[in-house]
Amino acid sequence: MNITERNNIKIIGNGAQTLMFAHGFGCDQNTWNLITPAFSDTYKVVLFDYIGAGHAAIDAYEKQRYSNLSGYAKDVIDICEELQLENVIFIGHCVSSMIGALASIEAPHFFKKLIFIGPSPRYINDVDYYGGMEREDLEALLDVMDNNYLGWSGTLAPAVVGNPDRPALGEDLTKSFRAVDLDIAKQFARVIFLSDHRGDLPLIKIPSLTIQGKEDVLTSERVANYIHEHTYRNQVTILESGGHCPHLSDPEAVVSAINHFIQ
Amino acid sequence: MSRQAFIESNPGRFAEITNSDFLYQHAPCGFISFLPNGGILRVNQTFAHWLNLTEEEIYQIKFTSLLSKAGGLYYEMIVHPLLNLKGFANEVNFSFIHNECNIDTLFNAVVFKDDDGTIIAINATIQDITERKKYEAELLKAKRFAEEEQRRFEFLSNSVPNLIWTALPNGEINFLNQRTLDYLKIDLKDANNFTGIYEEDRPLFAEAWAKSLQSSTKLELELRILSGDGDLQWFFLHAEPYHNEEGVLELWFGSCTNINNQKLATLEKYNSLENSLSTAYKTIDGHRERFIQIAMNQSHLIRKPLANIMGLMDLLNDTSLPADAVELLELLKLSADELDHLIKDVIHQSSDPINPLSA
């Protein structure tokens, strides 16, 4: 199976500059639907799904490989190699911010700039560090995911298909959902919320931008400032209106922030 | 009472009951309208009552603040993006926790958009499923217990020094412990090719396995298994059918115990015994041939004077002898014939290839 199939890679536009958009937890590449139209005319937009999300090949899931964010970063590098990309501007939402950072540290020759939307190098509070969550919050979140197993498959499937005009597609996909999907999602949640990549921030050698919503319940301005203080050439843009998904709730502001940073 | 009769006799009541605002406020479910940023626009009395708050108090709170922290995270990470992408979300289980209130609910929401497609607000219904949730919690507990049991089985199976496997009633291998995967260097999906079993032993195993599957009887077999490193070792394979309380075959539990050292020692002993027997047979054969030779030689040596005696008796018989001598000669002849037969028997039996010593 090639990487294009494995990660359900989609390419829009044929500009000289590549923008790679990486979705966050609980979403797939459709999460960028309100953003990509602003860039597809002038850039080459690369979209993909992580294993366990969207239309990525679920059979390619390896528990060991994806037991930490490095496994997902390796996927990003695989995609760059497969598409022979260079000077990529990587835009990651939520956990993808750190995944992109790790990929840029591991294979800096592929990347030019990084854009983090709602990032966090560590979600769980620590001594002298505010991440916003306690360990119990993670366990409670996993409980909520368990409680919403049926909802997980039922509500996510149509979004995965990305074709609300043809809900039958979503119904078919819902039927094909298996417990493993939830298991992978829960494992992903554990990996995300137990990760600690504060030590990797100083290793990022390319310019980066943090876009942080003021209303974000998952991360916060404090976390954005922590990243700013510990990362070489990092800028911060705070969005007044944005929650955890400002690219959905305030796409114009996100497009504007991205444009300002990359032009 | 018919509908028409009720309306005619209680026009005021009918108007009150079916009044949309009455329905909104007193419906047996909660209604909430809130802004994309979580600011609450309106709730019905049912929901306010559940939360033990006045409507005015609720309007000071953001929607996610009514949820448990984990629920708020789930809303932000999963439900909110879905509402943006799809415009609705169905049957999401949220716990509303505020003050003394703690209710489990099913949350159904649709978005309200303006002409540009921008989300202006979210309208949601909330159904109290607290009691039902207690039952579901028990089910979830049982599910987790089963999952924990599975993990324990896997841990146990990985901690014993055997190759452990399970198969479905149709024989399809559905679990290999880590030791097996490491030893064979294969994936579970390749297990049903039985490529780990040494090629020469595979037909024997396939036949025995098929018989066991057909008869639901245990399988025990000694066979050779080829490791992923090319190391060939003897194993004792044991498979036993597991039947549930209803007596239905649910699973096959199998193990392969390494018996390579014992087997090789046994084979060595067997070879040694075979060599000893071979030597013994050679010795016996040598002795037998010598015996035959001796018997033949001695028989001929004895038979030669006997033949002379018998010839002389024939000559005597042709002479005239007194009557008592004739009688004695006859007796002598009978004894000579008997001795001749005896010698012939010895010669015959000595040359018998099956058993030269048997009488």
Side-chain angles (χ1 to χ4, degrees):
Chain A
M1 183 186 301
N2 63 37
I3 306 299
T4 301
E5 285 177 15
R6 188 189 70 181
N7 287 99
N8 188 30
I9 299 172
K10 297 277 161 52
I11 299 171
I12 309 169
N14 55 6
Q17 174 64 55
T18 299
L19 300 183
M20 181 187 282
F21 287 88
H23 66 82
F25 174 71
C27 306
D28 62 20
Q29 59 183 267
N30 287 304
T31 198
W32 301 110
N33 285 354
L34 302 177
I35 301 292
T36 50
F39 299 101
S40 53
D41 286 343
T42 46
Y43 294 90
K44 178 199 270 189
V45 172
V46 175
L47 300 162
F48 68 96
D49 295 330
Y50 289 113
I51 307 298
H55 276 176
I58 201 160
D59 292 343
Y61 184 78
E62 296 171 38
K63 196 168 184 177
Q64 186 61 34
R65 178 182 173 110
Y66 300 110
S67 62
N68 52 56
L69 295 188
S70 298
Y72 292 94
K74 179 74 173 60
D75 281 6
V76 171
I77 295 169
D78 287 347
I79 293 166
C80 292
E81 285 175 349
E82 173 91 348
L83 303 180
Q84 298 181 321
L85 302 177
E86 53 186 18
N87 292 322
V88 173
I89 296 174
F90 180 93
I91 299 119
H93 171 230
C94 182
V95 63
S96 276
S97 305
M98 284 305 115
I99 291 173
L102 293 176
S104 78
I105 295 167
E106 181 71 25
H109 52 288
F110 285 125
F111 300 95
K112 182 179 175 185
K113 287 182 176 179
L114 299 169
I115 297 175
F116 310 142
I117 302 177
S120 178
R122 178 186 166 107
Y123 293 87
I124 308 282
N125 296 333
D126 195 12
V127 179
D128 297 331
Y129 173 79
Y130 176 80
M133 285 178 74
E134 297 293 344
R135 177 69 191 243
E136 305 87 87
D137 297 330
L138 168 61
E139 299 303 329
L141 176 65
L142 295 175
D143 279 347
V144 174
M145 289 175 71
D146 257 337
N147 289 337
N148 281 296
Y149 167 59
L150 289 176
W152 181 261
S153 57
T155 55
L156 280 191
V160 167
V161 172
N163 196 340
D165 297 333
R166 296 174 63 194
L169 282 176
E171 285 167 19
D172 288 345
L173 198 63
T174 303
K175 287 174 191 164
S176 73
F177 259 80
R178 296 166 293 177
V180 68
D181 301 312
L182 179 63
D183 286 343
I184 292 174
K186 284 169 66 180
Q187 172 69 8
F188 195 18
R190 276 197 185 87
V191 168
I192 294 167
F193 295 116
L194 295 178
S195 66
D196 185 353
H197 291 283
R198 289 176 294 174
D200 291 309
L201 296 177
L203 304 178
I204 300 169
K205 299 298 179 198
I206 54 176
S208 59
L209 168 70
T210 297
I211 300 174
Q212 179 61 49
K214 262 198 165 176
E215 306 284 341
D216 194 335
V217 296
L218 196 60
T219 60
S220 61
E221 279 186 73
R222 284 175 72 176
V223 174
N225 288 334
Y226 181 92
I227 292 171
H228 176 69
E229 287 164 13
H230 292 82
T231 308
Y232 169 71
R233 291 176 68 188
N234 176 262
Q235 301 174 26
V236 178
T237 297
I238 302 294
L239 301 182
E240 294 294 325
S241 56
H244 182 60
C245 299
H247 53 294
L248 290 169
S249 55
D250 194 357
E252 291 84 4
V254 171
V255 167
S256 170
I258 293 173
N259 269 326
H260 188 257
F261 181 65
I262 66 178
Q263 285 174 353
Chain B
M1 183 182 287
S2 70
R3 175 179 181 274
Q4 194 59 37
F6 180 86
I7 293 172
E8 286 174 2
S9 59
N10 303 282
R13 279 276 179 235
F14 177 75
E16 185 184 1
I17 291 167
T18 57
N19 175 277
S20 57
D21 190 56
F22 178 84
L23 282 174
Y24 177 82
Q25 293 292 358
H26 300 284
C29 66
F31 286 114
I32 184 169
S33 302
F34 56 97
L35 296 167
N37 67 6
I40 297 172
L41 293 172
R42 192 180 180 192
V43 297
N44 69 345
Q45 285 184 24
T46 304
F47 190 50
H49 176 68
W50 286 346
L51 295 175
N52 202 21
L53 292 169
T54 64
E55 286 188 41
E56 285 65 34
E57 285 172 326
I58 290 174
Y59 299 147
Q60 307 305 313
I61 302 169
K62 290 218 165 183
F63 170 69
T64 47
S65 302
L66 296 173
L67 300 172
S68 64
K69 184 165 185 182
L73 291 171
Y74 190 77
Y75 177 82
E76 283 292 336
M77 287 192 297
I78 309 295
V79 180
H80 185 56
L82 278 175
L83 288 170
N84 274 278
L85 287 170
K86 286 171 51 185
F88 65 92
N90 288 335
E91 297 190 27
V92 181
N93 176 215
F94 278 136
S95 295
F96 283 89
I97 299 174
H98 197 78
N99 292 339
E100 300 294 307
C101 158
N102 187 346
I103 54 170
D104 271 305
T105 68
L106 269 188
F107 172 90
N108 293 274
V110 291
V111 299
F112 189 89
K113 296 182 179 178
D114 65 11
D115 293 340
D116 299 332
T118 306
I119 297 175
I120 298 173
I122 295 125
N123 283 327
T125 62
I126 296 152
Q127 288 176 303
D128 184 352
I129 57 164
T130 305
E131 291 305 314
R132 183 175 147 181
K133 198 66 198 166
K134 286 177 187 166
Y135 175 65
E136 282 184 16
E138 288 299 313
L139 289 180
L140 189 61
K141 197 171 155 189
K143 175 175 170 276
R144 284 180 178 160
F145 179 75
E147 288 170 351
E148 186 55 34
E149 287 295 297
Q150 171 77 14
R151 277 192 286 274
R152 280 184 192 176
F153 167 72
E154 290 186 13
F155 177 82
L156 180 67
S157 71
N158 286 330
S159 64
V160 296
N162 297 54
L163 308 184
I164 302 291
W165 52 275
T166 63
L168 299 174
N170 66 1
E172 183 187 336
I173 307 289
N174 65 343
F175 169 77
L176 295 174
N177 69 345
Q178 195 56 45
R179 193 176 297 276
T180 309
L181 295 170
D182 292 345
Y183 186 73
L184 297 178
K185 293 192 177 358
I186 59 167
D187 289 330
L188 178 61
K189 62 179 184 292
D190 301 323
N192 288 294
N193 301 330
F194 302 117
T195 47
I197 296 174
Y198 186 49
E199 203 173 343
E200 281 183 19
D201 298 344
R202 221 176 289 160
L204 178 70
F205 165 77
E207 187 183 350
W209 183 221
K211 272 186 190 169
S212 286
L213 288 175
Q214 197 173 15
S215 58
S216 294
T217 52
K218 72 176 177 184
L219 167 66
E220 289 185 337
L221 199 63
E222 289 181 0
L223 43 71
R224 284 163 291 181
I225 294 179
L226 192 63
S227 78
D229 296 328
D231 190 18
L232 193 63
Q233 302 249 326
W234 279 96
F235 282 82
F236 176 70
L237 182 147
H238 177 96
E240 196 135 351
Y242 169 74
H243 296 89
N244 64 17
E245 285 180 1
E246 281 80 37
V248 177
L249 173 61
E250 272 194 353
L251 209 60
W252 286 86
F253 284 94
S255 66
C256 295
T257 308
N258 191 314
I259 55 165
N260 198 53
N261 291 340
Q262 303 94 300
K263 184 72 181 178
L264 291 181
T266 304
L267 287 175
E268 198 174 337
K269 280 182 190 167
Y270 177 78
N271 288 336
S272 173
L273 182 63
E274 199 171 50
N275 289 339
S276 299
L277 283 174
S278 176
T279 306
Y281 274 125
K282 279 180 188 167
T283 305
I284 289 168
D285 285 347
H287 288 169
R288 177 175 157 270
E289 280 179 19
R290 281 176 61 199
F291 170 77
I292 292 169
Q293 199 60 48
I294 291 167
M296 293 284 279
N297 290 342
Q298 295 303 315
S299 301
H300 283 297
L301 287 173
I302 295 167
R303 201 161 177 269
K304 190 179 172 187
L306 178 61
N308 289 339
I309 291 167
M310 290 175 81
L312 290 171
M313 282 192 299
D314 286 341
L315 287 174
L316 272 176
N317 200 34
D318 292 341
T319 59
S320 58
L321 294 168
D324 55 344
V326 169
E327 194 176 331
L328 285 172
L329 184 63
E330 197 58 39
L331 287 172
L332 187 60
K333 195 165 185 265
L334 280 172
S335 292
D337 284 344
E338 194 177 341
L339 183 58
D340 187 38
H341 279 300
L342 191 61
I343 292 167
K344 281 180 180 171
D345 277 351
V346 169
I347 294 170
H348 176 70
Q349 286 177 20
S350 299
S351 60
D352 183 351
I354 303 300
N355 188 358
L357 300 175
S358 65

